[in-house]
């Protein structure tokens, strides 16, 4: 279909006796590449599908560390089978939460390259407060608010946040702007906290789906994925608690906008009545 072989006969020989099967699989591109079960880091594939994480490789590596991963690499030749490597997830510890929110030094799976990340290794990485996950999300939400104000083009990071969370981020900011309401830093932080937690939970679900696909191709992965699921479920529970707390604070922020809308409606109605009264007196 893509011209690798001249015809079906050449394809059978090329991927058979001529030993070109692994070479051919590695050459898959575009949509076909997602169907080829070789040279894949399943957690990193989930990172690449997430617009925000793909734009922040260090944050993506941090998330891969929390979920663990399964890596499948193609054989050197057709006489060998593919190789599989599993990396267990790190538990959701208080230190991990602090690093997400405020930065700090923690062990992170660092990629050997940010394209396929087939050979990640554990390294201690120090995240500055401004580079922590929550801070990065807050910067993007603030930039999104400014882009709405200035009517400028949205970046991939902004689009990723808008499309991947259940919170109506864009609508909330646009409504605030329409009513001449300026989101202050505290309110940006409240909205960003909910967005950050939701992005994390979404990524973990996507990673489990990706690793589940790999398990369906390799029998021995079934038990491993179940172990991963248990650890990740505990992490999800931790994020679930954070989400409930963030949602409550976010609701308070929304109520401020709703009150603003109500007050404006009342003022508009009052002004109209007063104007009509003045016109009546003039007659």
């Amino acid at each position: 279909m893509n011209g690798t072989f001249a015809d079906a006969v050449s394809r059978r020989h090329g991927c058979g006796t001529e030993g070109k099967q692994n070479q051919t699989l590695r050459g898959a591109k575009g949509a076909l590449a997602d169907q080829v079960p070789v040279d894949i880091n399943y957690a990193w594939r989930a990172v690449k599908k997430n617009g925000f994480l793909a734009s922040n490789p260090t944050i993506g590596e941090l998330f891969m560390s929390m979920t663990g991963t399964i890596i499948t690499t193609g054989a050197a030749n057709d006489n060998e089978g593919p190789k599989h490597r599993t990396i267990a997830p790190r538990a959701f510890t208080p230190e991990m939460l602090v690093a997400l929110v405020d930065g700090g030094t923690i062990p992170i799976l660092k990629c050997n390259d940010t394209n396929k990340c087939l050979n990640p290794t554990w390294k201690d990485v120090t995240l500055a407060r401004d580079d922590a996950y929550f801070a990065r999300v807050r910067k993007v939400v603030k930039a999104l608010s400014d882009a709405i104000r200035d009517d400028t083009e949205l970046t991939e990071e902004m689009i990723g946040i808008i499309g991947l969370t259940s919170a109506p981020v864009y609508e909330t900011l646009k409504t605030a702007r329409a009513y001449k309401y300026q989101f202050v830093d505290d309110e940006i932080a409240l909205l960003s906290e909910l967005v950050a937690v939701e992005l994390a939970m979404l990524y973990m679900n996507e990673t489990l789906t990706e690793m589940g696909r790999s398990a369906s191709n390799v029998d021995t992965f079934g038990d491993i994925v179940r172990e991963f699921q248990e650890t990740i479920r505990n992490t999800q529970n931790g994020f679930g608690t954070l989400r409930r707390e963030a949602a409550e604070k976010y609701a308070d922020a929304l109520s401020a906008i709703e009150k603003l809308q109500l007050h404006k409606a009342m003022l508009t109605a009052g002004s109209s009545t007063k104007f009509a009264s003045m016109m009546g007196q003039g007659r």
Side-chain angles (χ1 to χ4, degrees):
M1 289 174 62
N2 61 21
T4 303
F5 297 104
D7 51 43
V9 175
S10 299
R11 183 260 305 163
R12 281 198 299 271
H13 285 297
C15 290
T17 56
E18 292 183 9
K20 295 181 180 178
Q21 178 170 312
N22 281 287
Q23 173 187 332
T24 303
L25 291 175
R26 281 195 170 100
K29 301 184 184 303
L32 290 175
D34 282 342
Q35 302 175 39
V36 177
V38 295
D39 292 348
I40 301 171
N41 177 332
Y42 285 91
W44 195 248
R45 175 183 278 187
V47 167
K48 300 283 279 187
K49 287 183 177 181
N50 184 307
F52 174 79
L53 294 179
S55 301
N56 297 274
T58 300
I59 301 298
E61 291 167 336
L62 174 59
F63 274 69
M64 179 171 61
S65 307
M66 288 192 292
T67 59
T69 190
I70 295 173
I71 300 172
T72 298
T73 53
N77 55 66
D78 285 6
N79 294 323
E80 301 176 6
K83 297 180 181 179
H84 308 289
R85 176 189 176 194
T86 60
I87 302 177
R90 291 277 171 154
F92 190 64
T93 61
E95 292 78 16
M96 184 73 76
L97 177 59
V98 170
L100 285 168
V101 178
D102 293 325
T105 301
I106 52 172
I108 290 179
L109 270 175
K110 293 294 294 180
C111 290
N112 58 309
D113 72 89
T114 56
N115 182 24
K116 291 189 174 182
C117 191
L118 296 178
N119 190 30
T121 54
W122 289 104
K123 293 183 180 179
D124 284 342
V125 174
T126 299
L127 291 172
R129 185 183 181 89
D130 288 345
D131 294 329
Y133 172 55
F134 276 44
R136 292 293 309 169
V137 173
R138 186 162 57 250
K139 287 177 183 176
V140 176
V141 174
K142 177 65 167 61
L144 174 58
S145 178
D146 293 342
I148 293 172
R149 178 196 63 202
D150 301 333
D151 194 25
T152 55
E153 187 175 354
L154 305 185
T155 65
E156 287 298 320
E157 284 183 304
M158 297 174 192
I159 294 171
I161 280 180
I162 293 170
L164 294 175
T165 62
S166 64
V169 182
Y170 184 80
E171 290 80 1
T172 299
L173 295 173
K174 189 173 182 179
T175 299
R177 291 295 183 189
Y179 282 88
K180 308 300 181 184
Y181 180 75
Q182 173 66 47
F183 258 40
V184 297
D185 289 343
D186 286 346
E187 289 161 327
I188 288 286
L190 291 174
L191 181 58
S192 302
E193 185 177 338
L194 178 60
V195 171
V197 173
E198 287 210 342
L199 279 173
M201 297 179 76
L202 182 77
Y203 161 76
M204 290 179 186
N205 288 333
E206 181 66 32
T207 302
L208 281 176
T209 300
E210 291 287 354
M211 290 195 288
R213 290 173 187 160
S214 74
S216 67
N217 295 325
V218 184
D219 292 339
T220 56
F221 278 175
D223 292 337
I224 293 172
V225 171
R226 280 189 286 275
E227 292 175 9
F228 281 15
Q229 287 175 330
E230 183 61 31
T231 303
I232 294 174
R233 191 174 296 113
N234 292 334
T235 301
Q236 287 280 48
N237 290 339
F239 274 114
T241 300
L242 291 177
R243 190 194 182 285
R244 286 191 295 273
E245 295 172 352
E248 291 175 1
K249 290 183 280 188
Y250 174 67
D252 291 339
L254 279 184
S255 68
I257 297 178
E258 291 169 356
K259 289 177 182 177
L260 184 70
Q261 294 172 335
L262 178 61
H263 290 322
K264 181 172 182 178
M266 292 173 64
L267 286 171
T268 301
S271 297
S272 298
T273 302
K274 185 175 180 180
F275 180 73
S277 176
M278 291 171 62
M279 290 295 291
Q281 292 174 2
R283 288 195 300 270

